Amino acid sequence: MAYSGPFHYGDRVQLTDAKRRHYTIVLEEGGQFHSHKGIINHDDIEGMDEGSVIKSTMGSDFLLFRHLMVDHVLSMPRGAAVIYPKDSAQILVEGDIFMGARVLEAGAGSGALSMSLLRAVGPEGHVFSYEIREDHLVYAEDNVKEYFGKTPEWWSPRLGDLGDVTQEDLGGPVDRVILDMLEPWEHLETVRDLLIPGGVFMTYVATVPQLMKVMEGIRELKCFTEPKAWESLVREWKVEGLATRPEHRMNAHTAFLIWTRRLADGVTPPRPQRRARK
């Protein structure tokens, strides 16, 4: 699947009608898209540029663009809830996922974060994705393969418990660790043993009790910097002249993100100083 340029057979194309409803097709020679607004032949889309408009047999206009990763994530089959794009973006930037990085994630869920990590590290890096449930791992493997067109060579999806993983299993320490699991505080010592000094550790949790347990566990272990936690809220706006206003619905709380970095061996974190009360 190409990411830019004219459309070719095998590309995933998103058709948008006048009411901004989206329809996704994979271009096939001789294929057809059928809707209540008429038929569009796949062969007519072949060779067209992105951003073009095509008419159906009933005269309805459809805007043509490639299916983006965010479209794929929000529409793909899932066994577990996905990490939403707004949180994946925070993980990529705050976690400093760089090209060539060795990244460990657990659990893999439906593969949403896996795809973002794989694009960020590139073929020079490697992503290890652990999942304890086989049915979830199957979803992740299928979704990643569908998006990339094949299973990336720099990806190792594995069925297993993070608590059993050692550096030998990974061929050495990793640069980044991302956890999305029910009880991440149970695996903090494993993270310490797998992560290089200075490496970034991020956790994705949904509830306040989970947030508190992870933060307290990190502090008690005394091998990480003082952790920080936040959530991101996204609200779209409806902009139509004097009727401009916030949308009634928004992507509010999905999860908390927790961030910290591993200290060098034998180093005790400095005690945080609180500002004196007046």
Side-chain angles (χ1 to χ4, degrees), residues 8-167:
H8 295 294
Y9 296 121
D11 287 349
R12 191 176 290 109
V13 182
Q14 186 175 81
L15 293 82
T16 306
D17 66 14
K19 293 186 177 181
R20 296 192 296 179
R21 288 177 296 200
H22 301 309
Y23 306 89
T24 301
I25 62 174
V26 177
L27 287 188
E28 298 178 354
E29 190 169 0
Q32 289 184 323
F33 166 72
H34 292 256
S35 76
H36 66 286
K37 293 188 176 183
I39 300 172
I40 295 175
N41 294 314
H42 290 201
D43 294 341
D44 294 336
I45 300 177
E46 163 71 16
M48 295 182 71
D49 290 322
E50 284 195 78
S52 298
V53 173
I54 191 169
K55 285 187 178 294
S56 70
T57 53
M58 294 178 62
S60 295
D61 290 333
F62 287 83
L63 188 60
L64 303 176
F65 279 102
R66 275 189 173 80
H67 199 252
L68 300 177
M69 178 182 285
V70 63
D71 302 314
H72 184 68
V73 167
L74 296 179
S75 64
M76 69 187 188
R78 60 186 70 173
V82 299
I83 294 181
Y84 271 75
K86 70 182 182 70
D87 296 316
S88 293
Q90 295 263 316
I91 290 171
L92 292 181
V93 175
E94 296 285 350
D96 192 40
I97 309 300
F98 59 91
M99 186 175 294
R102 287 166 46 83
V103 181
L104 168 68
E105 67 158 337
S110 297
L113 182 61
S114 304
M115 290 185 288
S116 296
L117 295 173
L118 287 164
R119 284 220 312 191
V121 305
E124 299 85 0
H126 203 91
V127 176
F128 302 90
S129 300
Y130 278 84
E131 174 55 57
I132 199 169
R133 289 185 51 170
E134 185 174 6
D135 56 335
H136 288 178
L137 187 63
V138 170
Y139 274 106
E141 291 177 322
D142 289 346
N143 288 329
V144 170
K145 184 177 180 180
E146 182 181 359
Y147 179 75
F148 286 97
K150 61 179 181 179
T151 301
E153 296 179 0
W154 59 100
W155 186 40
S156 296
R158 296 177 178 178
L159 181 66
D161 191 334
L162 177 63
D164 299 327
V165 180
T166 65
Q167 285 196 21

Side-chain angles (χ1 to χ4, degrees), residues 1 84 89 98 114 138 182 260 263 265 269 276:
M1 184 184 68
Y84 271 75
F98 59 91
S114 304
V138 170
L182 188 61
T260 186
L263 298 171
D265 293 334

Side-chain angles (χ1 to χ4, degrees), residues 208-240:
V208 171
Q210 289 176 307
L211 169 67
M212 295 169 61
K213 285 189 176 183
V214 174
M215 295 283 283
E216 292 166 0
I218 289 173
R219 288 167 177 155
E220 289 175 4
L221 209 53
K222 295 183 178 180
C223 62
F224 295 99
T225 59
E226 174 65 14
K228 65 176 183 179
W230 71 93
E231 63 176 340
S232 60
L233 311 177
V234 176
R235 181 173 67 178
E236 292 189 9
W237 278 65
K238 185 179 183 69
V239 182
E240 293 181 356

